[in-house]
């Protein structure tokens, strides 16, 4: 019985089906909002679904120079790890699988899709892919620092109260803390970390102004240049699911609470909050900025968001 | 008084280190390694000295309560250390010969293809 | 029989070296068999010691020549094997067996093979002797044999000028380090007139004088030269780069770990300085600087083995930081990372050796696209690269996570942050190597390379499987191997008691009780079995989709037909071969930090005098620090 319930969680909610539908809807809403902000009509909200099923029907061409198994396995590995991450993010007190230190595992599993993109691009054997993966790697180096510092700050703050002063990395404990004391972004010491994480999300998701790794105009989409057909569809799906997972994680960390207690209402509430976060962090920045070069990205992330996150860490140590 | 011994071995050790750090000829560096070893050996021997003691070489029947000899352990350790020093000097000199064969010079400013 | 096991484990290797020296070039098969039997027997003897030591918690002591202590004064050389020694001994003897297996085919084309095997067995025997001994001067002698054999093996390919140059630099700097260790031994002997570690530990208890502090500083610097910590690390990249790969694996796997074991024994068991915050701070600072400089230098290299050498230096920084934290969790993390480092770094060096065997070069600017011709080596390399970067579910993730947690809980938050950045940069440099050497386009001169022979692949597969197993079942590793070792470090009273007898130890120690229990509550980071089940179920779901025709398989035929559909897209330009790899990658990062990289390249200038100067300066700084702060 328990096993059957777990399989249902994996396949339907918050697993495969939810990620698939929710991720593509989120990507569609993002495109529609961007178009409206630029005074265009824009594609319908279901456009990513049409794109996905169209790509599934196209021919998959594997270049002669490519390492075939790595080339074909990379998107699938990325998808599997993204779905596994989504199973661990609690939705306002409902969490199908929760362990002691799931925040760390979530963060580490979130590097696997980026690494899968890198390995896939590398395996394709194209020089454009080579340039693209080195930029993607520098992007990973740049956003790891502020993200990790903000997470350390959150862990220490929640642990001070709920875990006898040692830091805690359990997402369910973070939700419990917010249920008792209000969402984390209302605390003074957490506001710099809030802004830092908000700035980290576009780089992780791969959208302007930090999408140097997949620049369509400069390097013909970088690591994805030799992909076509079903693997390309899965990479685009990964992109959409990453948006959903990152914003869900952000909502759980900063905007969570006790919720209503009914699973359906909680799920819809979390999804609406995800849309709001996508609007503020991804769409607005996409509409009003241009692309940064890779060394500018590194310099930006290692000065401003890092300073904000460090400020948050110091404030937490002072007990605010 | 062993003060002279201790001062000498400190001078030897410092001179050995100075030679390795400043001299540019590979042969002189090997001599510096040897100086360092000999200074430490001298220190080792001086540690075991007892004023008025004899050499610690006895057969079982001669050994009794009144025999007063210097500490035998450092003497054994020094023998080991001298042998090790000789082996290291031999290996280093073999390497110096090969360096001369390959590079044609013994100047350490020129023997540096591995850098960065 | 169990009494004699330690000495047997050491002597089989020495006797093997002697027999190989007698056989010389006459009979190759006999010589290879002797080497294999000697290393394998040593491993079996070490395994047989597992049950009495870790299973029942005893400590085996063995006085050579049966010279028992007289009236509580040790007069013979004693071997003492406790859980810490056995932990190191187990994975060291396993590395020796695997390296011997690998070197049979690897050095077939070289000349002077019998001398290689003699030196190989001498080096292995001296490391085993160093781990199992309980006598201070014996430690010095074993370190000297190890250095001597290592230098000779570095210069093994003496038809290459670089190898001879690296050997000369190694012996110049290594002998300074050994002399510092000998000087410290002499000073300790002058103070206590005994050489037995347990007796010295008893008499040093809470009793530091100026001479013992002087000896402590010199010992620490001497062992730091052997472990290649920054700033005494300058010789390491040269030596690792030019030695044959099976020997480089031993350098990074057992020579480094022997020096780490030396630091642990001297600082924590003999000097019992675990609760001194000044020593803790010194080790943590040293470890962090080593980590950071190691990995940043590695990003700028373009030779495969030199890059791996700088990563070795960086990972040893992790181990020293873990040990320096001196909490139970920190020491567990440090020891576990030492074990993992031997496994994955050995794997990576063997891959580099396979590439060299197949293509004849290790320059990343010239290689490319080898994954199509050597698929198994590429897969093993990816496993090793993900292990060293700390990606789940491999074993690097587990040990790095324990070190992060221990450092954050002990209050050293900057260390956690620096350790995380170093981990990400490690991933960056291995992606660079994967793109330059294994993926991409195959140059014309390597069109016919073949996969390496089976006897070279077997040790690589064994290590890769151990990496994966270590990542999936970390709790069994910690329960059976590492917790007993960490307990042995924290409970040095038992060490003294078993060696010298209970009346001696109780004169100096208040309680001969057990060590504090390690709290694993937060370190139960994740349940890997659950993850594996999840991955399995999802994989199953995808196989279902694929079987239903989700991925059309008939369009995968990429034959050698000249159809332009299967060419790589060049956006209309007429280049036929352009491979982005080697120095072309990470250009933006290197440009951003060009001042730092210029400074670092100028410091690593290859002149042996400057390297010796840095060792002397380190010794001076550590001496000043120890005299001022350690009470």
């Amino acid at each position: 019985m328990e096993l059957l319930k777990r399989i249902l969680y994996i396949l339907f909610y918050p697993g495969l089906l939810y990620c698939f539908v929710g991720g593509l809807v989120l990507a569609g809403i993002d495109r529609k909002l961007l178009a409206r902000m630029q005074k265009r009509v824009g594609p319908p909200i279901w456009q990513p679904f049409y794109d996905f099923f169209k790509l599934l029907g196209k021919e998959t061409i594997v270049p002669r120079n490519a390492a075939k198994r790595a080339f074909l396995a990379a998107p699938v590995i990325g998808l599997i790890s993204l779905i596994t991450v989504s199973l661990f993010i609690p939705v306002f007190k409902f969490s199908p699988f929760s362990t002691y230190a799931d925040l760390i595992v979530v963060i580490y599993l979130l590097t696997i899709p980026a690494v899968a993109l890198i390995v896939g691009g590398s395996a394709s054997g194209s020089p454009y892919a080579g340039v693209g993966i080195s930029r993607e790697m520098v992007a990973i180096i740049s956003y790891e620092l502020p993200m990790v510092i903000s997470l350390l700050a959150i862990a220490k703050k929640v642990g001070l109260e709920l875990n006898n002063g040692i830091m805690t990395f359990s997402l369910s404990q973070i939700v419990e803390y917010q249920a008792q004391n209000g969402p984390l972004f209302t605390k003074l010491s957490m506001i710099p970390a809030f802004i830092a994480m908000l700035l980290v999300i576009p780089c992780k998701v791969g959208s302007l102004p930090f999408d140097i790794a997949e620049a369509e105009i400069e390097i013909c989409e970088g690591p994805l240049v030799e992909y076509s057909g079903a693997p390309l569809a899965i990479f685009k799906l990964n992109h959409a699911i990453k948006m959903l997972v990152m914003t869900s994680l952000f909502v759980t960390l900063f905007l969570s609470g006790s919720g209503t207690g009914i699973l359906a209402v909680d799920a819809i509430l979390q999804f609406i909050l995800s849309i709001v976060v996508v609007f503020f962090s991804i769409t607005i920045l996409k509409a009003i900025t241009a692309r940064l070069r890779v060394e500018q990205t590194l310099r930006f992330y290692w000065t401003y968001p890092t300073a904000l996150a460090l400020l948050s860490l110091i404030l937490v140590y002072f007990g605010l | 008084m062993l003060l002279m011994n201790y001062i000498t071995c400190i001078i030897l050790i410092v001179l050995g280190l100075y030679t390795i750090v400043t001299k540019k000829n590979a042969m002189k560096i090997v001599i510096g390694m040897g100086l360092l070893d000999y200074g430490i050996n001298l220190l080792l021997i001086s540690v075991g000295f007892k004023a008025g003691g004899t050499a610690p070489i006895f057969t079982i029947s001669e050994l009794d309560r009144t025999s007063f000899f210097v500490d035998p352990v450092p003497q054994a350790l020094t023998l080991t250390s001298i042998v090790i020093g000789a082996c290291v000097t031999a290996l280093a000199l073999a390497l110096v010969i090969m360096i001369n064969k390959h590079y044609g010079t013994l100047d350490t400013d020129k023997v540096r293809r591995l850098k960065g | 029989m169990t009494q004699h096991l330690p000495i047997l484990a050491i002597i089989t290797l020495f006797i093997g070296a002697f027999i190989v020296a007698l056989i010389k070039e006459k009979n190759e098969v006999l010589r290879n068999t002797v080497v294999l039997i000697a290393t394998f027997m040593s491993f079996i003897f070490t395994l047989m010691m597992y049950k009495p030591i870790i299973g029942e918690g005893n400590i085996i002591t063995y006085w050579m020549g049966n010279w028992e202590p007289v009236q509580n004064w040790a007069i013979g050389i004693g071997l003492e094997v406790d859980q810490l020694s056995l932990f190191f001994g187990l994975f060291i003897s396993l590395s020796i067996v695997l390296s011997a297996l690998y070197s049979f085919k690897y050095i077939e084309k070289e000349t002077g093979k019998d001398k290689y095997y003699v030196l190989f067995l001498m080096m292995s025997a001296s490391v085993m002797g160093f781990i199992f001994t309980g006598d201070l001067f014996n430690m010095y002698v074993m370190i000297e044999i190890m250095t001597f054999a290592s230098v000779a093996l570095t210069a093994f390919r003496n038809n290459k000028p670089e190898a001879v140059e690296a050997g000369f630099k190694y012996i110049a700097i290594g002998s300074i380090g050994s002399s510092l260790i000998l000087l410290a031994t002499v000073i300790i002997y002058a103070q206590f007139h005994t050489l037995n570690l347990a007796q010295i530990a008893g008499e040093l208890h809470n009793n530091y004088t100026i001479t013992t502090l002087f000896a402590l500083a010199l010992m620490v610097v001497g062992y730091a030269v052997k472990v290649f910590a920054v700033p005494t690390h300058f010789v390491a990249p040269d030596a690792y780069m030019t030695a044959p790969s099976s020997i480089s694996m031993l350098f990074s796997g057992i020579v480094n770990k022997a020096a780490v074991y030396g630091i642990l024994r001297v600082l924590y068991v003999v000097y019992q300085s675990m609760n001194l915050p000044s020593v803790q701070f010194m080790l943590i600072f040293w470890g962090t600087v080593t980590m950071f400089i190691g990995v940043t230098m590695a990003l700028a290299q373009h030779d495969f083995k030199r890059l791996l050498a700088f990563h070795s230096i960086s990972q040893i920084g992790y181990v020293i930081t873990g040990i320096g934290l001196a909490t139970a969790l920190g020491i567990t993390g440090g020891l576990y990372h030492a074990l993992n480092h031997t496994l994955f770094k050995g794997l990576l060096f063997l891959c580099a050796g396979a590439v060299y065997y197949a293509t004849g070069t290790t320059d990343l600017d010239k290689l490319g696209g080898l994954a199509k011709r050597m698929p198994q080596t590429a897969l093993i390399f990816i496993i090793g690269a993900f292990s060293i970067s700390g990606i789940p579910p491999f074993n690097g993730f587990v040990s790095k996570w324990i070190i992060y947690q221990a450092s954050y809980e002990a209050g050293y938050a900057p260390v956690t942050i620096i350790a995380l950045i170093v981990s990400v940069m490690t991933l960056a440099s291995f992606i660079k190597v994967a793109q330059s050497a294994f993926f991409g386009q195959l140059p014309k001169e390597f069109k016919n390379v073949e996969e390496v022979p089976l006897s070279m692949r077997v040790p690589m597969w064994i290590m890769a499987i151990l990496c994966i197993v270590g990542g999936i079942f970390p709790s069994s590793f910690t329960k059976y191997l590492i917790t007993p070792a960490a307990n042995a470090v924290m409970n040095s009273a038992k060490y003294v008691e078993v060696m010298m007898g209970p009346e001696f130890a109780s004169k100096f120690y208040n309680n001969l009780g057990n060590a504090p229990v390690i709290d694993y509550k937060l370190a139960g980071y994740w349940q890997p079995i659950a993850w594996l089940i999840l991955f399995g179920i999802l994989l199953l779901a995808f196989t279902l989709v694929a079987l239903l025709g989700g991925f059309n398989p008939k369009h995968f035929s990429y034959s050698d037909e000249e159809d332009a559909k299967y060419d790589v897209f060049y956006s209309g330009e007429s280049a036929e071969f352009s491979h982005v790899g080697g120095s072309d990658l990470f250009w933006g990062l290197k440009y951003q930090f060009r001042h730092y990289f210029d400074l670092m390249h100028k410091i690593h200038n290859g002149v042996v005098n400057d390297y010796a100067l840095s060792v002397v300066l380190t010794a001076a700084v550590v001496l000043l620090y120890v005299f001022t702060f350690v009470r």
Side-chain angles (χ1 to χ4, degrees):
Chain A
M1 194 56 224
E2 192 62 32
L3 188 62
L4 188 62
K5 218 159 71 158
R6 287 183 176 220
I7 293 187
L8 276 178
Y9 287 149
I10 295 176
L11 285 180
F12 288 112
Y13 179 84
L16 186 58
L17 198 63
Y18 170 68
C19 282
F20 182 74
V21 171
L24 290 176
V25 164
L26 207 56
I29 294 181
D30 169 52
R31 280 170 80 168
K32 187 78 172 173
L33 282 174
L34 179 70
R36 288 286 170 175
M37 278 201 276
Q38 293 173 341
K39 265 197 143 163
R40 304 183 273 128
V41 175
I45 294 188
W46 307 108
Q47 183 63 31
F49 285 92
Y50 301 149
D51 286 339
F52 181 78
F53 287 111
K54 170 201 80 168
L55 277 173
L56 274 187
K58 298 280 184 185
E59 177 187 4
T60 310
I61 299 178
V62 177
R64 205 177 296 127
N65 275 334
K68 181 170 124 189
R69 287 185 204 100
F71 186 77
L72 292 172
V76 177
I77 302 280
L79 184 62
I80 291 180
S81 45
L82 273 174
I83 296 183
T84 316
V85 169
S86 145
L87 285 170
F88 275 80
I89 300 183
V91 180
F92 286 116
K93 292 234 174 171
F94 162 73
S95 155
F97 302 87
S98 88
T99 57
Y100 254 133
D102 38 5
L103 187 60
I104 296 311
V105 195
V106 160
I107 293 305
Y108 269 88
L109 275 185
L110 275 177
T111 59
I112 294 190
V115 171
L117 183 68
I118 289 179
V119 170
S122 191
S124 67
S126 155
Y128 289 114
V131 175
I133 62 168
S134 97
R135 293 177 179 185
E136 174 76 29
M137 198 64 232
V138 174
I140 295 181
I141 293 180
S142 39
Y143 71 63
E144 277 283 318
L145 183 59
M147 185 172 79
V148 157
I149 301 181
S150 352
L151 286 175
L152 284 178
I154 297 179
K156 185 75 184 172
K157 179 160 185 72
V158 172
L160 270 177
E161 236 190 69
L162 287 186
N163 204 13
N164 317 330
I166 356 175
M167 54 182 184
T168 172
F169 280 114
S170 161
L171 278 170
S172 2
Q173 272 192 339
I174 295 181
V175 171
E176 202 181 299
Y177 177 87
Q178 296 184 73
Q180 291 170 2
N181 305 25
L184 264 181
F185 84 101
T186 52
K187 310 274 169 238
L188 183 60
S189 55
M190 287 286 124
I191 293 184
F194 178 77
I195 303 179
M197 275 297 269
L198 209 57
L199 286 172
V200 162
I201 291 186
C203 193
K204 232 174 142 56
V205 164
S207 79
L208 279 161
F210 305 115
D211 72 339
I212 188 66
E214 284 191 22
E216 283 92 358
I217 305 175
E218 295 184 15
I219 47 172
C220 311
E221 225 173 351
L224 298 180
V225 65
E226 295 292 338
Y227 276 97
S228 54
L232 184 61
I234 299 185
F235 263 130
K236 297 291 185 191
L237 180 65
N238 280 358
H239 182 102
I241 298 184
K242 216 189 298 190
M243 225 188 292
L244 176 68
V245 164
M246 275 309 293
T247 48
S248 289
L249 184 66
F250 185 81
V251 164
T252 308
L253 283 177
F254 286 103
L255 297 172
S256 180
S258 57
T260 55
I262 316 176
L263 180 55
V265 177
D266 274 344
I268 296 184
L269 187 58
Q270 177 117 348
F271 192 68
I272 292 181
L273 281 173
S274 291
I275 297 180
V276 170
V277 171
V278 162
F279 177 69
F280 276 104
S281 68
I282 300 183
T283 317
I284 287 190
L285 283 180
K286 218 195 276 200
I288 62 180
T289 59
R291 184 177 296 133
L292 285 179
R293 290 202 312 264
V294 68
E295 59 260 21
Q296 288 173 333
T297 314
L298 183 69
R299 200 169 354 148
F300 170 72
Y301 270 111
W302 277 21
T303 47
Y304 298 109
T306 309
L308 286 172
L310 277 174
L311 179 65
S312 196
L313 191 64
I314 297 177
L315 285 177
V316 164
Y317 265 103
F318 279 134
L320 272 173
Chain B
M1 292 300 289
L2 286 187
L3 194 57
M4 194 49 76
N5 269 15
Y6 291 136
I7 295 183
T8 315
C9 73
I10 290 183
I11 293 181
L12 275 178
I13 294 178
V14 169
L15 272 182
L17 280 175
Y18 174 78
T19 320
I20 301 184
V21 169
T22 45
K23 296 296 176 193
K24 292 293 182 189
N25 193 342
M27 197 67 98
K28 296 187 186 172
I29 295 181
V30 176
I31 295 180
M33 282 157 57
L35 274 179
L36 187 56
D37 268 332
Y38 302 150
I40 301 183
N41 291 344
L42 182 58
L43 179 64
L44 193 43
I45 279 283
S46 323
V47 160
F49 181 70
K50 292 192 188 353
T54 66
I57 305 175
F58 293 95
T59 58
I60 292 289
S61 50
E62 292 174 351
L63 196 56
D64 58 10
R65 291 244 156 237
T66 59
S67 41
F68 186 65
F69 47 87
V70 299
D71 203 348
V73 173
Q75 312 218 335
L77 302 182
T78 314
L79 280 174
T80 317
S81 180
I82 293 179
V83 169
I84 292 179
C87 291
V88 166
T89 311
L91 181 60
L93 286 174
L95 287 171
V96 166
I97 295 179
M98 291 298 296
I99 287 185
N100 197 14
K101 190 172 98 165
H102 281 297
Y103 287 84
T105 170
L106 282 180
D107 190 359
T108 51
D109 270 339
K110 300 198 177 51
V111 176
R112 50 178 184 134
R113 274 187 216 168
L114 296 170
K115 53 184 179 216
Chain C
M1 176 63 178
T2 47
Q3 280 301 103
H4 299 284
L5 280 175
I7 191 67
L8 277 177
I10 305 172
I11 284 289
T12 39
L13 291 169
F14 273 121
I15 293 181
F18 186 60
I19 297 182
V20 170
L22 285 180
I23 296 182
K24 277 203 255 219
E25 306 255 354
K26 295 193 197 111
N27 192 344
E28 286 217 10
V29 173
L30 184 62
R31 184 187 65 214
N32 288 355
T33 325
V34 167
V35 168
L36 197 56
I37 290 181
T39 48
F40 205 64
M41 272 171 57
S42 171
F43 180 54
I44 297 286
F45 285 136
T46 320
L47 268 184
M48 276 165 57
M49 280 196 276
Y50 179 84
K51 187 159 170 307
I53 295 185
I54 296 189
E56 295 158 17
N58 301 327
I59 297 181
I60 297 183
T61 61
Y62 183 83
W63 294 96
M64 305 263 293
N66 236 359
W67 289 95
E68 301 269 340
V70 168
Q71 290 171 354
N72 274 337
W73 198 277
I75 52 176
I77 296 182
L79 300 182
E80 177 159 1
V81 184
D82 64 346
Q83 290 92 348
L84 180 68
S85 309
L86 188 65
F87 167 68
F88 274 97
L90 273 175
F91 68 80
I92 285 180
S93 46
L94 181 66
S95 306
I96 295 174
V97 172
L98 292 176
S99 177
L101 261 180
Y102 187 85
S103 26
F104 289 146
K105 271 278 190 279
Y106 182 65
I107 59 160
E108 225 179 3
K109 304 195 191 89
E110 316 267 352
T111 56
K113 288 194 286 255
D114 53 330
K115 304 180 184 58
Y116 171 91
Y117 283 114
V118 172
L119 287 167
F120 173 87
L121 286 172
M122 293 279 287
M123 185 166 84
S124 326
S126 63
V127 171
M128 295 295 284
F130 182 78
I131 302 286
F132 287 155
T133 188
D135 181 270
L136 203 57
F137 194 75
N138 208 2
M139 282 166 75
Y140 167 71
V141 171
M142 291 294 164
I143 281 247
E144 270 299 317
I145 303 180
M146 189 174 81
T147 309
F148 193 81
S150 311
V151 170
L153 282 170
T154 307
F156 178 65
R157 296 192 169 126
N158 55 5
N159 50 337
K160 288 188 192 251
E162 287 92 10
V164 181
E165 171 190 342
F168 180 71
K169 287 186 200 164
Y170 193 178
I171 200 169
I173 306 294
S175 85
I176 300 183
S178 315
S179 307
L180 286 175
I181 299 180
L182 180 61
L183 189 54
T185 311
V186 169
I187 294 175
I188 293 185
Y189 180 78
Q191 173 91 5
F192 295 116
H193 289 286
T194 174
L195 288 171
N196 195 352
L197 285 179
Q199 191 172 354
I200 299 177
E203 305 203 0
L204 258 183
H205 193 63
N206 285 339
N207 188 14
Y208 293 165
T209 64
I210 293 282
T211 36
T212 48
L213 283 180
F214 186 49
L216 172 72
L218 288 177
M219 275 270 201
V220 167
V221 176
Y223 281 116
V225 171
K226 295 293 171 197
V227 91
F228 299 126
V230 167
T232 55
H233 70 286
F234 294 103
V235 172
D238 303 339
Y240 286 26
M241 189 169 119
T242 52
S245 286
S246 44
I247 298 299
S248 299
M249 164 192 165
L250 286 185
F251 277 177
S252 72
I254 63 180
V255 169
N256 265 353
K257 303 303 179 305
V260 165
Y261 169 82
I263 293 181
L264 260 179
R265 266 289 176 238
V266 165
L267 271 181
Y268 285 161
V269 176
V270 176
Y271 274 85
Q272 295 126 44
S273 52
M274 215 175 331
N275 41 7
L276 288 179
S278 49
V279 170
Q280 200 180 357
F281 180 72
M282 173 176 84
L283 279 181
I284 293 180
F285 181 72
W286 217 337
T288 315
V289 169
T290 309
M291 272 200 257
F292 187 72
I293 292 190
V295 85
T296 48
M297 281 304 294
L299 274 174
Q301 301 297 325
H302 53 89
D303 182 277
F304 195 171
K305 282 169 64 170
R306 209 172 158 87
L307 186 137
L308 287 178
F310 273 110
H311 277 297
S312 224
I313 296 172
S314 163
Q315 301 295 313
I316 285 290
Y318 268 101
V319 174
I320 295 182
T321 310
I323 292 178
L325 284 167
T327 58
L329 203 58
I331 295 185
T332 311
L335 290 177
Y336 200 171
H337 200 73
L339 168 67
N340 286 345
H341 174 73
T342 308
L343 287 177
F344 54 61
K345 192 36 81 67
L347 193 59
L348 290 168
F349 268 115
L350 293 186
C351 288
V355 167
Y356 182 77
Y357 183 84
T359 62
T361 172
T362 51
D363 193 354
L364 288 176
D365 287 331
K366 301 199 185 86
L367 292 170
L370 288 175
K372 291 187 68 56
R373 307 290 310 179
M374 304 168 69
Q376 291 190 18
T377 312
L379 176 63
I380 293 176
F381 177 79
I382 298 259
I383 293 180
F386 285 170
S387 299
I388 195 173
S389 327
I391 292 187
F394 299 109
N395 56 0
F397 172 64
V398 176
S399 54
K400 280 195 182 178
W401 184 246
I402 302 184
I403 295 183
Y404 298 154
Q405 198 170 312
S407 61
Y408 194 57
E409 277 178 24
Y412 288 95
V415 171
T416 315
I417 298 174
I418 293 183
L420 277 155
I421 301 199
V422 164
S423 182
V424 173
M425 289 208 222
T426 314
L427 178 65
S429 32
F430 277 99
I431 294 292
K432 165 177 164 171
V433 175
Q435 161 75 10
S436 313
F438 287 102
F439 298 126
Q441 296 176 306
L442 195 60
K444 282 197 197 34
E445 54 259 24
F446 298 142
K447 258 205 195 331
N448 295 327
V449 304
E450 299 230 328
E451 185 65 79
V452 289
L454 184 64
S455 77
M456 283 167 74
R457 262 181 286 157
V458 164
M460 297 205 283
W461 275 114
I462 294 180
M463 287 184 140
I465 292 177
L466 277 174
C467 277
I468 300 182
V469 163
I472 301 182
F473 301 108
S475 42
S476 44
F477 267 70
T478 36
K479 191 164 86 153
Y480 292 122
L481 276 180
I482 308 203
T483 311
N487 273 340
V489 170
M490 304 195 69
N491 184 18
S492 51
K494 196 150 193 282
Y495 184 89
V496 176
E497 172 199 358
V498 175
M499 193 77 169
M500 303 293 297
E503 324 88 44
F504 184 79
S506 52
K507 267 192 274 184
F508 301 105
Y509 290 87
N510 296 335
N511 62 328
L512 302 176
N514 290 321
V517 173
I518 299 183
D519 177 16
Y520 270 127
K521 189 162 92 81
L522 202 55
Y525 12 87
W526 60 325
Q527 321 284 2
I529 300 287
W531 294 98
L532 220 56
I533 296 181
L534 282 172
F535 263 73
I537 294 178
L538 289 165
L539 212 52
L540 208 59
F542 262 90
T543 330
L544 222 61
V545 168
L547 281 178
L548 291 173
F551 301 91
N552 274 336
K554 59 183 184 295
H555 293 285
F556 285 2
S557 62
Y558 69 104
S559 51
D560 306 297
E561 39 182 271
E562 281 306 312
D563 196 349
K565 192 163 71 163
Y566 298 107
D567 280 341
V568 167
F569 176 62
Y570 279 114
S571 64
E573 299 171 12
S574 62
E576 285 148 13
F577 178 83
S578 76
H579 173 56
V580 174
S583 315
D584 307 322
L585 293 173
F586 295 131
W587 194 88
L589 192 65
K590 285 194 264 196
Y591 181 75
Q592 181 85 358
F593 294 119
R594 61 189 179 281
H595 300 293
Y596 172 77
F597 279 121
D598 281 342
L599 179 68
M600 279 293 141
H601 280 301
K602 234 191 299 188
I603 292 182
H604 287 73
N605 59 2
V607 178
V608 70
N609 307 86
D610 294 345
Y611 295 172
L613 180 63
S614 68
V615 172
V616 172
L617 280 176
T618 315
V621 166
V622 170
L623 262 174
L624 265 177
Y625 179 84
V626 164
F627 276 151
T628 337
F629 289 108
V630 178
R631 289 272 152 254

